Amino acid sequence: MTFDIIDPLFNRYILHNAPVKKLATGFDWAEGPVWFGDHSCLLFSDIPNNRIMRWSPEDGLSVFRADARYANGHTRDRQGRLVSCEHGARRVTRTEADGSITVIADSYDGRPLNSPNDVVVKSDGTIWFTDPHYGIGSDYEGFKAESENPLVVYRADPEAGTLEVVIDDMKAPNGLAFSPDEDLLYVADTGRMYENDPSHIRVYDCGSDGTLSNGRHFHTVDPGKADGFRLDTDGNIWTSAEDGVHCIAPDGRLLGKVLVPEKVSNVCFGGRAKHELYVTATTSLYRVTLNRRGVQWP
Ligand code: MG
């Protein structure tokens, strides 16, 4: 069985004869998928092995960057540049077209960040990222160290050179994504993972000036946690979970699941029409074709 249909509406979004296909395996904790449509390839992290992988339908699997400073989440800015969270260097970077690295943020209030986890770029160019403790909690996904800043969500403005705290009431902010119109920001709090509780996604109203308000509970993922997620063009959230990928309607209802045989960490849309869902799941990369397009740029 590939799909678990909770709400009949889910049938609109899936193709019943589309498999959940394993594309590559051999990783220790695959994370942070990002699609490069202009290169027809996917990049993703293999965090404990300190490398960024590249997969494409034409070329298959290769190492994009070794010694990747234990990179986790990735996205692209509006110029198509790779923006990366690096556990090991405790920073967010941008890879320029010539391959050089620009540091977007590595400290706040004069102290190092914890371990930036996931990142999204708004259409105005601002870079929003979460900074929980997972990359400094052990030597597995980075370098064990003490936390010197609160576990918060930041907004960096590379043009202005500013870094601001935008959410400070979470235990461990993790995945994040904007709604298609950018009126809403969804952020996962996975801070209860050590108590074996399910984790939840919160949603915030986002003003055109970037201010957040009215933070509220959106959905509790069960089983597992919302480590990472992306939205489709209807505003549904496709989130990681213990048993696969869960599809959550904009009103917070669980519509259905894409069942994956390994614990899922994160997803992203890709393919010719952004209708393919790429899934990083523990040791492997999977793909399933959907009957819906993702919010994915470019
Ligand atoms: Mg994450």
Side-chain angles (χ1 to χ4, degrees):
M1 188 171 65
T2 302
F3 304 103
D4 185 0
I5 295 159
I6 312 288
D7 186 303
L9 186 61
F10 192 52
N11 287 298
R12 287 191 200 176
Y13 297 106
I14 59 175
L15 299 162
H16 287 272
N17 60 345
V20 175
K21 191 170 181 180
K22 185 187 280 190
L23 300 175
T25 191
F27 321 112
D28 282 342
W29 184 244
E31 245 283 15
V34 58
W35 179 253
F36 280 65
D38 39 357
H39 298 272
S40 187
C41 76
L42 185 85
L43 300 183
F44 62 98
S45 299
D46 179 9
I47 305 177
N49 292 309
N50 192 19
R51 56 187 183 167
I52 300 172
M53 308 303 297
R54 178 185 189 274
W55 183 90
S56 81
E58 289 79 21
D59 308 327
L61 186 69
S62 58
V63 176
F64 173 78
R65 181 181 294 167
D67 192 13
R69 297 172 292 277
Y70 293 89
N72 186 341
H74 303 279
T75 192
R76 300 181 79 184
D77 69 10
R78 289 305 193 273
Q79 284 75 51
R81 297 171 292 193
L82 176 68
V83 178
S84 303
C85 295
E86 300 180 359
H87 281 178
R90 303 171 70 168
R91 66 187 188 180
V92 175
T93 61
R94 184 175 66 214
T95 301
E96 309 295 344
D98 64 3
S100 62
I101 304 287
T102 299
V103 177
I104 301 296
D106 61 1
S107 65
Y108 182 77
D109 213 11
R111 300 182 301 275
L113 301 178
N114 296 308
S115 49
N117 188 293
D118 218 339
V119 59
V120 65
V121 176
K122 201 162 178 272
S123 58
D124 64 4
T126 52
I127 298 172
W128 303 56
F129 65 95
T130 55
D131 189 35
H133 56 293
Y134 299 115
I136 56 172
S138 73
D139 287 311
Y140 188 52
E141 294 191 19
F143 302 101
K144 187 172 171 58
E146 291 300 316
S147 173
E148 296 181 53
N149 264 308
L151 282 51
V152 300
V153 182
Y154 292 102
R155 179 185 57 219
D157 185 339
E159 288 288 309
T162 56
L163 181 67
E164 293 174 84
V165 175
V166 289
I167 297 174
D168 62 0
D169 61 349
M170 287 191 164
K171 289 184 178 173
N174 203 322
L176 76 174
F178 285 101
S179 61
D181 57 10
E182 298 185 334
D183 283 348
L184 300 170
L185 176 68
Y186 297 92
V187 187
D189 188 348
T190 54
R192 289 176 295 161
M193 64 184 291
Y194 297 117
E195 295 156 31
N196 212 22
D197 274 331
S199 74
H200 66 273
I201 299 171
R202 290 172 63 77
V203 61
Y204 298 79
D205 297 333
C206 185
S208 55
D209 59 353
T211 54
L212 299 179
S213 60
N214 193 24
R216 55 206 184 270
H217 175 269
F218 172 70
H219 180 88
T220 298
V221 173
D222 184 29
K225 59 184 191 287
D227 195 340
F229 50 87
R230 295 286 204 282
L231 276 73
D232 67 30
T233 51
D234 281 7
N236 299 304
I237 288 93
W238 298 77
T239 177
S240 67
E242 182 82 24
D243 55 352
V245 179
H246 292 192
C247 178
I248 317 296
D251 64 6
R253 259 179 317 145
L254 174 63
L255 297 181
K257 304 177 180 181
V258 180
L259 300 174
V260 179
E262 297 182 74
K263 182 196 288 189
V264 173
S265 64
N266 213 329
V267 303
C268 90
F269 287 90
R272 160 178 62 76
K274 313 296 187 289
H275 63 312
E276 296 171 338
L277 190 68
Y278 286 85
V279 180
T280 49
T282 313
T283 69
S284 305
L285 172 69
Y286 295 86
R287 181 184 66 196
V288 62
T289 301
L290 301 174
N291 193 17
R292 194 64 51 177
R293 294 181 174 193
V295 177
Q296 177 77 29
W297 191 96

